[in-house]
Amino acid sequence: MHNQITDVPGVKVGNKENQQALTGCTAILFERGAVAGVDVRGSAPGTRETDLLDPVNLVDKVHAICLSGGSAFGLDAASGVMQFLENEEIGLDVGVAKVPIVPAAVLFDLPYGDPKIRPDKQMGYEAAKAATAEMFSTGNYGAGCGATVGKLAGPGFCMKGGLGSASLRLENGVVIGAIVAVNPAGDVRDPSTGEILAGPYKEGKLVDSIKLLEKNYQPTIPVGSNTTIGVIAVNADLTKAEATKVAQMAQDGYARTIYPAHTLFDGDTIFAVATGGDRVPVDVIGGLAAKVMEMAIINAVKSAESIEGIIAHKDLFNKDKSEL
C-alpha cells in the first residue's frame, strides 16, 4: 500500500508538467475499462465527456480520466491520452477502430508561470505514457503544478495548492482510492481540528475566508479562476448510477476541507470509477470515498512546495516554528 489511488487494482497514474510555465496534467488509466460516474458541483466547470457518464447513456466504461491545468485550453491534453491508448489498442471496439473513452476536467492556473503555455496533446500523451501502478509524485506535479489555494482575499494573497492522493483498504480487500488537484478559491482546513492549512496569506498571517464573507466581502477574482478536480476509484462492482452516487457522496470530502466549496468561482468536479470486483453497498463506498477524498486534499496541500511569491503549507509551518 502506497496510500495512493494506485493501490486500487486496475489503476495507473502518470504526471507530466512544465515547472517553468507552472502547469501540467495527470492521466489516470484504466486499461481494462472501468464503470464511471461524475458529479459537478462548482458553477464554472471545464469538462469533457461528462454527458457520456449519465446513467441513461449507452457507453458504460471509460479507459482513462485526464485532469489538467490550463483552463479550457487544457482539455486538449485528453486527446493525447486518447492517442496513447489507441496506440496500445485500448478502447471501445466499434468494429473499424477502438475508441478510447477519456473524460476530462480542468482547473485554472493561467496567472502563474507562463499563461501562453498550457497542457496540450503532447503533454497528455507523455503523462499517459508515464502511467504506473506504483507510487507517483504529489504536490507540484501533474495537474497540481500551478494549483493555488485561498484567493478570496485576492489572487495576490494565495498559497500553493497541488496534487494529492490517498487510499483506504477495507477488511474484505476492497480498496478505495482518491486523487485530486486542489486549486480552490477558499481555504483548506483539517476537518478533524478545523485548523486552516492553506488559504489567503496576508500581512504575515492566514486569513479566514469565511470571516471575509461574513464581512460582506466582495471577491474580485474572475469567475472560473479556481476549481478542485478529482477521481475516486474502487475495486468493486458498480453500475453507472451507483458510480454517480459515489461521486455525489465524495463531494462531502470537498465540503469538509474547503471553505467555501462549490462557489461561482470554482468548477468542482469528481469522477468515480469502479474497476470491478465484489458487490459492496454504495453507502459504504460513498461514505468512505468522502473520507479518502479528505485525506487526498490534505496530502495535496501538505506535499506542495513553495514557488516564487507563493508560500506552501510546509514552509509556512516551518517558518512559524522557527519564530517560536
Side-chain angles (χ1 to χ4, degrees):
M1 292 283 288
H2 301 300
N3 196 26
Q4 293 188 329
I5 195 172
T6 48
D7 292 331
V8 179
V11 178
K12 293 183 177 180
V13 172
N15 289 323
K16 187 65 179 180
E17 60 285 319
N18 184 320
Q19 294 285 359
Q20 286 69 48
L22 290 177
T23 195
C25 64
T26 299
I28 305 100
L29 271 53
F30 320 102
E31 294 173 341
R32 296 191 297 273
V35 174
V38 67
D39 186 69
V40 181
R41 297 273 175 100
S43 294
T47 57
R48 163 177 164 156
E49 296 277 39
T50 50
D51 283 351
L52 179 115
L53 302 182
D54 189 310
V56 304
N57 290 334
L58 177 64
V59 175
D60 66 345
K61 289 189 176 182
V62 304
H63 304 97
I65 291 172
C66 183
L67 306 179
S68 179
S71 190
F73 297 109
L75 290 171
D76 189 35
S79 297
V81 179
M82 283 189 71
Q83 181 181 345
F84 173 81
L85 291 172
E86 182 184 22
N87 292 350
E88 298 294 312
E89 298 186 349
I90 296 170
L92 174 66
D93 193 342
V94 295
V96 295
K98 288 187 177 180
V99 182
I101 306 300
V102 184
V106 295
L107 56 80
F108 186 90
D109 56 9
L110 299 181
Y112 313 103
D114 187 342
K116 295 296 185 181
I117 297 177
R118 307 111 178 191
D120 56 12
K121 184 176 181 179
Q122 182 62 34
M123 185 179 281
Y125 183 93
E126 292 175 2
K129 185 178 180 180
T132 176
E134 301 302 321
M135 197 165 187
F136 57 90
S137 297
T138 57
N140 298 22
Y141 292 90
C145 183
T148 51
V149 172
K151 286 150 278 189
L152 285 182
F157 302 103
C158 64
M159 286 180 61
K160 190 69 182 73
L163 184 74
S165 192
S167 70
L168 181 67
R169 182 185 294 273
L170 310 188
E171 292 181 358
N172 60 2
V174 170
V175 181
I176 304 168
I179 187 169
V180 63
V182 180
N183 185 60
D187 48 55
V188 172
R189 308 187 188 198
D190 183 334
S192 64
T193 64
E195 177 190 8
I196 299 175
L197 302 177
Y201 185 63
K202 194 172 184 180
E203 298 175 354
K205 63 181 181 180
L206 283 166
V207 177
D208 187 323
S209 294
I210 299 300
K211 289 184 177 179
L212 283 178
L213 298 179
E214 289 174 350
K215 295 177 181 178
N216 198 31
Y217 178 79
Q218 301 297 313
T220 58
I221 53 179
V223 172
S225 58
N226 303 282
T227 299
T228 298
I229 48 179
V231 179
I232 291 289
V234 60
N235 60 329
D237 180 21
L238 296 176
T239 65
K240 284 177 71 176
E242 290 170 334
T244 300
K245 185 61 181 177
V246 169
Q248 291 175 352
M249 295 177 72
Q251 290 276 8
D252 288 350
Y254 284 10
R256 293 173 191 160
T257 53
I258 299 170
Y259 288 72
H262 312 135
T263 74
L264 287 173
F265 303 98
D266 294 278
D268 297 339
T269 300
I270 294 181
F271 299 94
V273 298
T275 61
D278 294 334
R279 293 289 299 171
V280 181
V282 171
D283 284 342
V284 172
I285 297 174
L288 293 175
K291 175 181 176 62
V292 177
M293 184 58 76
E294 290 177 28
M295 296 160 57
I297 290 171
I298 292 172
N299 172 250
V301 168
K302 289 190 173 182
S303 59
E305 302 283 346
S306 298
I307 58 177
E308 185 175 356
I310 302 177
I311 194 168
H313 167 84
K314 64 173 63 176
D315 291 322
L316 181 61
F317 177 81
N318 290 336
K319 177 176 179 291
D320 289 344
K321 288 293 186 183
S322 68
E323 293 173 353
L324 291 178

